[in-house]
Amino acid sequence: MTAATAYQHIVLDAAGVPYIANTTLKVVEIMEAQRAYGWSPEEYHLNHRYLTMGQIHSALAYYWDHQSELDAMLEEREQLAVRAEQSAEASPLRQRLRKLNHP
């Protein structure tokens, strides 16, 4: 179940997380890619052809209008990734790769 927003292409799920309507893509995921790769809206579109420029710009507008709460979501996602990496056991493959890169 989703709820409409004032942004034509953005909906909120039951937990209040903003998504691009009719996709599974979260607004924060667009911002993560923008931060990681420095993509412009046009470059994002080139890499995600299933999105329209309107959807991308709507997500960016939503982000800028809700920056503090979405930055908190981005920080939470980053911390979750760090904790997962720290708690992951070193697999035999990972150990071999580390030995190859750091003899």
Side-chain angles (χ1 to χ4, degrees), residues 27-33 35 63 67 69-79:
V27 171
V28 294
E29 292 169 340
I30 288 181
M31 296 315 300
E32 284 174 330
R35 288 180 177 184
Y63 169 77
Q67 185 178 6
E69 78 181 66
L70 291 175
D71 281 348
M73 283 184 191
L74 286 165
E75 179 63 27
E76 183 179 327
R77 290 168 66 93
E78 175 64 27
Q79 291 303 317

Side-chain angles (χ1 to χ4, degrees), residues 36-81:
Y37 306 116
W39 287 344
S40 68
E42 293 78 11
E43 289 169 318
Y44 199 91
H45 177 66
L46 286 172
N47 288 283
H48 296 84
R49 293 279 185 178
Y50 63 94
L51 296 175
T52 67
M53 289 300 293
Q55 289 172 311
I56 294 166
H57 281 284
S58 191
L60 293 172
Y62 187 92
Y63 169 77
W64 288 112
D65 288 345
H66 301 88
Q67 185 178 6
S68 61
E69 78 181 66
L70 291 175
D71 281 348
M73 283 184 191
L74 286 165
E75 179 63 27
E76 183 179 327
R77 290 168 66 93
E78 175 64 27
Q79 291 303 317
L80 180 63

